[in-house]
Amino acid sequence: MPLQPDIQRDSRSLLVATNRERNELGYFSDVRAEETAYLRTVVGIPPGHNPGDAPKYSDNPNPKKHFTIAEEQELKGKEAFLRELKAQLRALPPEQREVTLFVHGYFNGYSDSVFRGAQLFSDFDTPGVGVVFSWPSAGRPTGYTYDRESVLFARDSLEEVLRTLSQAGARNVLIMAHSMGGLLTMEALRQIEMTNPNWAHRNIASVLLISPDIAVDLFKEQLDRVGRLPSQFVVFTSGSDKALRLSSLINSGTDRLGLGNSSAELSEYPIIFVDVTDFNDDAKNSHFVVAESPALIALFNGAANHEEFAQGRSRTVLDTMTDRTVQLNKSVIYQLGPEEDQSELR
């Protein structure tokens, strides 16, 4: 079903891969599927959406208020997905032929994952092709253990997707993973490295872990197996992350990577740590400050558009972020003139 003309301008086209089973109504559920389904999807974004607003949706959606699945076409397997991805990349200017893969976290239904991906791609104005991997989270608060097992179940499916993305001829492939999606991403990369050493460094330009729900000792083991990391590897942390504090309690007090307590312990690895705790009050969700802080989003987008940050660099969402991750505070000062109010970005 095509988009209505009056909302065509407020949409985001993306590709979706999922190992969720469809239920009796035809919707992708929390049930784990043995095969991966691939789709071309257009998400309608309400005209009043502001950067940092979490997606709102309804069983009876109003396109002027809610995120919607405006168009959907299931592709016939991995080969059809690869053909579609190549075609979308070829239609772009060479400098924009990039792929950004979003891997969602715990407590996300299918709609949550697709709409969140569309929100991120739209708010950060990512060039290239956006892809969402939707693994079978239970989509409910009591499903933590189920979700951890679904992460393990989804490793093969995500590996298939990653290998397919690497074959599309994109100039850059980057992974943006949130929360438990970071655990899944690291497990899939670790698994690939067991048969193809240094695959991640050769095929993935950037990895961004946002509030990763991973035990620090497990993360070190994963890093050691992956070996040579992609050239850009960034971890966003927040000491005010309530969800990760609860996860630490549930997991026998183990330190969670996304809390940022162990950056010094991991200093031997070529990782950039970015602490966004100061932006927590600006976001409605302490577990996803990067996606829901209007100030942080404005900071990232503004720096990417500035000549000093953008010259000679790809405008992927991760480049947009990592240009400032090394000197986050300096970039805030840099963007604002001496007479402007810097408190608005804090």
Side-chain angles (χ1 to χ4, degrees):
M1 176 179 176
L3 286 169
Q4 297 299 318
D6 63 334
I7 61 169
Q8 182 73 45
R9 65 186 183 278
D10 301 300
S11 64
R12 186 77 190 202
S13 178
L14 47 84
L15 297 175
V16 180
T18 181
N19 66 329
R20 296 172 183 262
E21 285 278 11
R22 289 190 185 271
N23 61 21
E24 63 278 5
L25 299 176
Y27 298 118
F28 287 109
S29 69
D30 60 347
V31 178
R32 301 161 185 155
E34 294 184 4
E35 301 293 330
T36 303
Y38 296 93
L39 304 98
R40 184 182 68 83
T41 301
V42 177
V43 174
I45 299 175
H49 171 76
N50 295 311
D53 288 346
K56 295 180 180 179
Y57 55 98
S58 169
D59 292 337
N60 186 24
N62 178 345
K64 295 183 179 180
K65 297 181 180 179
H66 303 115
F67 278 60
T68 59
I69 300 294
E71 187 176 343
E72 184 178 89
Q73 175 189 2
E74 186 158 355
L75 304 171
K76 301 301 182 181
K78 178 177 62 176
E79 291 76 16
F81 171 77
L82 181 58
R83 287 194 299 270
E84 177 66 23
L85 178 56
K86 287 181 174 180
Q88 291 194 20
L89 288 170
R90 284 196 300 267
L92 295 168
E95 69 275 9
Q96 293 186 16
R97 291 174 185 170
E98 303 176 342
V99 175
T100 300
L101 172 68
F102 173 62
V103 184
H104 66 85
Y106 153 72
F107 186 19
N108 273 229
Y110 179 76
S111 295
D112 294 305
S113 61
V114 172
F115 293 155
R116 179 64 85 175
Q119 179 237 328
L120 287 165
F121 300 148
S122 176
D123 287 359
F124 287 103
D125 191 24
T126 60
V129 180
V131 180
V132 172
F133 181 75
S134 184
W135 52 274
S137 163
R140 54 182 180 271
T142 56
Y144 190 88
T145 300
Y146 183 89
D147 281 14
R148 288 286 293 271
E149 292 181 345
S150 287
V151 161
L152 300 180
F153 183 87
R155 289 176 296 188
D156 289 353
S157 181
L158 181 55
E159 177 180 350
E160 177 181 282
V161 171
L162 290 173
R163 290 186 182 276
T164 303
L165 295 182
S166 72
Q167 299 168 17
R171 66 190 299 267
N172 282 317
V173 176
L174 65 95
I175 305 171
M176 180 167 50
H178 176 236
S179 185
M180 203 177 283
L183 174 63
L184 172 55
T185 296
M186 292 303 300
E187 282 293 294
L189 291 177
R190 178 185 183 277
Q191 182 168 294
I192 294 174
E193 294 296 324
M194 295 175 75
T195 55
N196 296 93
N198 293 322
W199 184 92
H201 182 81
R202 295 194 308 271
N203 293 281
I204 306 298
S206 311
V207 173
L208 170 64
L209 302 183
I210 305 170
S211 306
D213 188 4
I214 310 174
V216 174
D217 56 352
L218 173 59
F219 183 60
K220 291 176 69 174
E221 190 272 344
Q222 292 166 331
L223 290 174
D224 290 339
R225 170 61 73 176
V226 172
R228 195 176 182 191
L229 299 177
S231 58
Q232 295 176 326
F233 199 109
V234 184
V235 178
F236 276 77
T237 68
S238 172
S240 299
D241 192 321
K242 296 178 182 178
L244 290 185
R245 288 178 180 175
L246 178 59
S247 175
S248 179
L249 180 64
I250 293 173
N251 289 285
S252 301
T254 54
D255 188 20
R256 314 315 286 176
L257 178 64
L259 288 172
N261 299 322
S262 303
S263 55
E265 181 182 341
L266 297 165
S267 61
E268 65 185 278
Y269 300 97
I271 299 172
I272 298 171
F273 284 89
V274 183
D275 184 353
V276 298
T277 304
D278 287 347
F279 292 86
N280 183 69
D281 291 342
D282 186 52
K284 294 181 180 178
N285 184 351
S286 67
H287 190 44
F288 214 161
V289 174
V290 169
E292 297 194 17
S293 167
L296 203 53
I297 292 170
L299 172 62
F300 292 156
N301 288 338
N305 290 328
H306 196 283
E307 182 178 357
E308 177 172 324
F309 293 115
Q311 185 176 8
R313 293 182 61 84
S314 148
R315 279 213 50 209
T316 62
V317 66
L318 188 58
D319 282 334
T320 300
M321 293 179 177
T322 56
D323 277 338
R324 240 115 343 138
T325 54
V326 178
Q327 299 181 16
L328 184 60
N329 291 334
K330 289 186 179 181
S331 63
V332 173
I333 297 171
Y334 181 79
Q335 290 189 85
L336 297 174
E339 297 179 357
E340 294 180 88
D341 182 10
Q342 297 186 27
S343 65
E344 292 183 3
L345 284 181
R346 288 294 186 180

